[in-house]
């Protein structure tokens, strides 16, 4: 199982989009000392996850979301997902 994930940093007020087969390890690496975008903050938290059966599917979706280049659209996606989770019998929002 592969996961597309979105992290949010309150201190930077920024999102980070990625995908992985081991989300726990990947988050640990984001929060450690490393080179990369997420090194700028240590308060990253997972705010959104989608699951895919293949790495290719997760990467396609990651590329799509990164192509949005819009925090507003990403915030709306996260909000719709939370709304769907709070509704009984809701399906995952399909964009």
């Amino acid at each position: 199982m592969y996961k597309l994930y979105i992290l949010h940093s309150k201190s930077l007020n920024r999102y980070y989009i990625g995908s992985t087969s081991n989300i726990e390890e990947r988050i640990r690496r984001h929060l450690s000392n490393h080179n990369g975008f997420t090194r700028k903050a240590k308060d990253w938290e997972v705010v959104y996850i989608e699951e895919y059966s293949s790495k290719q599917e997760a990467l396609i979706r990651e590329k799509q979301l990164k192509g949005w280049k819009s925090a507003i659209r990403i915030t709306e996606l996260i909000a719709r997902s939370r709304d769907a989770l709070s509704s009984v019998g809701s399906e995952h929002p399909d964009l």
Side-chain angles (χ1 to χ4, degrees):
M1 207 50 138
Y2 290 85
K3 293 179 175 46
L4 166 112
Y5 61 92
I6 300 176
L7 304 178
H8 182 258
S9 165
K10 288 183 183 179
S11 64
L12 298 176
N13 193 28
R14 299 284 307 263
Y15 290 103
Y16 176 84
I17 301 167
S19 59
T20 185
S21 61
N22 185 340
I23 195 157
E24 292 83 9
E25 174 62 20
R26 190 67 182 114
I27 300 307
R28 187 192 64 74
R29 287 179 34 208
H30 282 301
L31 296 173
S32 70
N33 292 328
H34 70 287
N35 293 325
F37 177 80
T38 58
R39 78 180 177 285
K40 298 175 184 179
K42 296 298 178 222
D43 66 340
W44 295 102
E45 66 177 270
V46 177
V47 294
Y48 185 80
I49 294 176
E50 290 179 7
E51 293 186 349
Y52 293 91
S53 57
S54 75
K55 183 177 182 177
Q56 181 180 2
E57 290 174 310
L59 289 172
I60 288 169
R61 180 64 164 157
E62 178 182 347
K63 186 175 180 178
Q64 178 189 26
L65 295 187
K66 286 181 174 180
W68 288 356
K69 298 189 185 299
S70 169
I72 293 170
R73 285 186 76 185
I74 292 169
T75 301
E76 289 171 351
L77 173 67
I78 294 164
R80 280 194 302 271
S81 174
R82 287 183 181 153
D83 290 345
L85 289 174
S86 66
S87 299
V88 176
S90 294
E91 295 182 16
H92 185 286
D94 186 16
L95 300 176

